């Protein structure tokens, strides 16, 4: 396998020894259920074939952690000194640092490691390259040092690493998908109980495709954290109507009763999350029934809600989703991930894909950016290569 040989060669070149283990960890697309995970709600993600490939070897009698990024051609040694300087940013080295730090904080003892890795997920595209890297590091260290960590704890540690070291108050969807994704399937995840079930993807003559808008918003982190705060504030208001811990605990009747007490932002955020949770439940049913028309409509409704009520879309994503939605043979199209840039996901008949691709030329003309499309191949979670 090409990637495996490349990693073995590079690891030897950089560290002077062969890796003991090589793992692959996937990125994800979320087919519906956006900004619901940190509200204890429901999501429906798929692990994709793009991901992180990572090689690792132990350093005996040492606590040095050394990480080499093939893509950046950069090595960071002894991550702690580095962390002091760079925490609170999305510098690539913060993800492995964060994971090692959190594992140790939870009492797991292990020696030094040498890590080299490369990624096929376009960075900043909202396909979760960060969670893929976190899970790859955690899983590789766990396997190599035989650490006794339950799967769900491993996932929570990675989420914690992102929250504490990188400073994003993210939910659990991305890390969960990188661990538990299953080839050929989407996954329904209850982000409160962490119960999950697989839904075989039978799309007949249709296909999911990702379109990267190539818009990278610089302020995603602060805007994301602001949304998390607004949702928490909305819960405080809803508590006047009915006790509850998160937006997950409320329905549209509760929302109507609390309506006049919200700020304009809280009102819109709560409305999105409550209706989006309902859409995920409906989407699971329609996927199981093979009702792609209904499913696609839910995708479109999700996009509108993210645009109008959660206010995390942008002109480029709206253009891409709305252009796709107008094509005969397109069931639905929506922005995915945190938003403010990144990708759309489109469910479309295979025969209509060339028409869609040809329409993307106008994207270049309108925005001066190139939209790149990828096929979605539902793939397995993290595993050894
Ligand atoms: C990012 C976060 C996830 C989730 C999505 C929005 O990808 O990491 O936890 O909140 O945004 O659905």
């Amino acid at each position: 396998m090409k990637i495996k040989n490349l990693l073995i060669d590079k690891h030897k070149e950089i560290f002077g020894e062969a890796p003991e283990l090589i793992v692959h960890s996937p990125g994800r697309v979320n087919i519906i259920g956006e900004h619901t995970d940190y509200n204890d709600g429901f999501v429906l993600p798929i692990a994709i074939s793009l991901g992180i490939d990572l090689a690792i070897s132990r350093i005996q009698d040492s606590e040095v952690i050394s990480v080499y990024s093939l893509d950046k051609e950069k090595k960071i040694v002894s991550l702690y000194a580095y962390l002091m300087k760079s925490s609170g940013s999305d510098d690539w080295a913060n993800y492995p640092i964060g994971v090692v730090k959190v594992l140790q904080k939870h009492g797991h003892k292990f020696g030094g490691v040498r890590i080299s890795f490369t990624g096929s997920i376009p960075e900043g595209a909202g396909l979760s390259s960060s969670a893929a890297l976190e899970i790859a590091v955690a899983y590789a260290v766990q396997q190599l040092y035989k650490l006794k960590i339950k799967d769900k704890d491993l996932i929570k540690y990675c989420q914690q690493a992102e929250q504490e070291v990188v400073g994003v108050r993210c939910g659990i969807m991305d890390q969960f998908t990188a661990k538990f994704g299953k080839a050929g399937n989407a996954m329904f995840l209850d982000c409160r109980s962490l119960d999950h079930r697989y839904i075989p993807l039978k799309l007949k003559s249709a296909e999911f495709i990702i379109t990267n808008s190539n818009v990278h918003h610089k302020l995603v982190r602060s805007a994301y954290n602001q949304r998390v705060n607004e949702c928490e504030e909305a819960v405080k208001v809803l508590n006047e109507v009915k006790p509850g811990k998160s937006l997950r605990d409320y329905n549209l009747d509760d929302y109507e009763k609390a309506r006049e007490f919200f700020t304009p932002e809280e009102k819109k955020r709560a409305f999105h999350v409550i209706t989006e949770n309902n859409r995920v439940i409906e989407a699971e049913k329609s996927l199981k029934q093979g009702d792609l028309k209904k499913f696609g409509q839910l995708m479109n409704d999700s996009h509108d809600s993210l645009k109008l009520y959660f206010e995390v879309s942008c002109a480029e994503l709206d253009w891409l989703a709305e252009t796709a939605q107008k094509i005969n043979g397109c069931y639905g199209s929506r922005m995915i991930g945190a938003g403010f840039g990144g990708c759309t996901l489109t469910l479309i008949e295979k025969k209509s894909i060339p028409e869609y691709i040809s329409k993307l030329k106008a994207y270049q003309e309108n925005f001066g950016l190139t939209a790149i499309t990828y096929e979605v191949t539902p793939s397995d979670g993290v595993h050894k290569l």
Side-chain angles (χ1 to χ4, degrees):
M1 210 186 185
K2 229 168 116 200
I3 196 77
K4 199 170 169 182
N5 293 337
L6 173 75
L7 273 171
I8 293 172
D9 290 349
K10 264 290 169 197
H11 202 85
K12 280 187 190 156
E13 182 192 319
I14 301 295
F15 298 119
E17 65 188 15
E20 295 173 73
L21 176 70
I22 297 180
V23 303
H24 173 85
S25 175
R28 64 101 190 88
V29 296
N30 183 22
I31 54 181
I32 199 158
E34 222 62 86
H35 289 276
T36 47
D37 61 350
Y38 54 82
N39 289 300
D40 281 346
F42 310 119
V43 292
L44 210 67
I46 311 178
I48 55 177
S49 56
L50 304 173
I52 299 283
D53 294 288
L54 179 147
I56 187 166
S57 55
R58 276 170 289 191
I59 315 176
Q60 298 300 338
D61 306 322
S62 164
E63 284 189 0
V64 169
I65 313 286
S66 192
V67 185
Y68 178 76
S69 159
L70 271 71
D71 307 323
K72 310 270 179 210
E73 296 181 346
K74 197 170 169 196
K75 182 160 87 173
I76 304 290
V77 187
S78 204
L79 292 166
Y80 299 107
Y82 191 84
L83 176 65
M84 303 311 286
K85 285 188 280 165
S86 67
S87 84
S89 84
D90 54 3
D91 188 317
W92 65 270
N94 279 341
Y95 300 101
I97 300 169
V99 169
V100 170
K101 199 177 155 224
V102 171
L103 287 175
Q104 289 173 336
K105 190 166 135 186
H106 287 278
H108 296 288
K109 294 195 172 40
F110 49 94
V113 283
R114 294 187 171 117
I115 287 172
S116 52
F117 74 94
T118 178
S120 52
I121 310 170
E123 231 178 280
L127 300 175
S128 235
S129 52
S130 52
L133 178 55
E134 291 152 11
I135 288 287
V137 171
Y139 177 76
V141 171
Q142 178 204 26
Q143 294 293 312
L144 210 55
Y145 279 102
K146 303 201 172 5
L147 305 179
K148 287 204 175 67
I149 308 174
K150 290 189 189 124
D151 285 345
K152 289 185 182 166
D153 286 336
L154 192 90
I155 293 165
K156 287 185 194 159
Y157 294 164
C158 290
Q159 179 195 20
Q160 206 179 326
E162 182 133 356
Q163 290 177 339
E164 289 179 5
V165 184
V166 188
V168 183
R169 298 182 64 200
C170 65
I172 200 135
M173 166 173 69
D174 304 346
Q175 291 80 3
F176 202 97
T177 312
K179 179 73 187 79
F180 279 115
K182 190 170 164 190
N185 286 265
M187 178 169 64
F188 180 98
L189 170 65
D190 177 334
C191 298
R192 171 173 277 166
S193 65
L194 297 188
D195 288 339
H196 64 290
R197 50 184 178 261
Y198 296 107
I199 309 154
L201 272 180
K202 294 192 197 107
L203 302 178
K204 299 170 219 160
S205 50
E207 205 173 277
F208 276 121
I209 51 175
I210 303 168
T211 309
N212 188 354
S213 68
N214 270 308
V215 175
H216 308 285
H217 196 295
K218 287 203 186 74
L219 299 173
V220 177
R221 257 187 319 154
S222 56
Y224 184 95
N225 288 343
Q226 189 192 346
R227 295 298 182 282
V228 179
N229 286 336
E230 288 163 350
C231 290
E232 285 169 354
E233 292 304 313
V235 172
K236 287 185 195 156
V237 174
L238 281 156
N239 260 278
E240 300 292 326
V241 169
K242 191 172 104 179
K245 286 201 174 101
S246 61
L247 286 176
R248 151 77 179 272
D249 297 314
Y250 297 97
N251 57 33
L252 282 175
D253 286 343
D254 306 323
Y255 166 85
E256 287 301 333
K257 285 182 198 142
R259 214 186 149 92
E260 59 184 299
F261 306 110
F262 290 123
T263 64
E265 280 73 32
E266 289 160 8
K267 198 192 306 182
K268 285 186 272 187
R269 309 308 181 238
F271 185 76
H272 167 74
V273 175
I274 293 170
T275 55
E276 184 79 351
N277 274 329
N278 293 342
R279 280 188 284 273
V280 180
I281 293 167
E282 288 303 307
E284 185 194 19
K285 281 190 212 148
S286 47
L287 255 194
K288 282 184 175 158
Q289 289 160 357
D291 187 346
L292 299 188
K293 222 170 150 205
K294 170 88 189 291
F295 184 82
Q297 187 55 51
L298 292 163
M299 288 177 75
N300 295 345
D301 294 346
S302 170
H303 183 85
D304 288 347
S305 182
L306 288 158
K307 172 182 167 182
L308 299 172
Y309 299 108
F310 219 68
E311 295 175 299
V312 289
S313 190
C314 59
E316 293 86 348
L317 290 172
D318 293 341
W319 190 96
L320 289 172
E322 286 156 19
T323 300
Q325 287 168 11
K326 283 182 206 134
I327 292 174
N328 211 345
C330 172
Y331 293 99
S333 184
R334 58 179 288 268
M335 57 148 283
I336 54 167
F340 309 103
C343 295
T344 58
L345 180 71
T346 302
L347 180 59
I348 187 166
E349 282 293 325
K350 286 185 186 130
K351 62 175 175 8
S352 304
I353 294 176
E355 185 186 342
Y356 173 58
I357 306 275
S358 74
K359 291 245 154 67
L360 293 180
K361 283 189 207 113
Y363 180 78
Q364 170 93 41
E365 285 155 24
N366 284 342
F367 299 103
L369 293 164
T370 311
I372 298 170
T373 56
Y374 301 86
E375 272 176 31
V376 176
T377 311
S379 302
D380 284 327
V382 67
H383 55 274
K384 296 178 189 171
L385 279 187

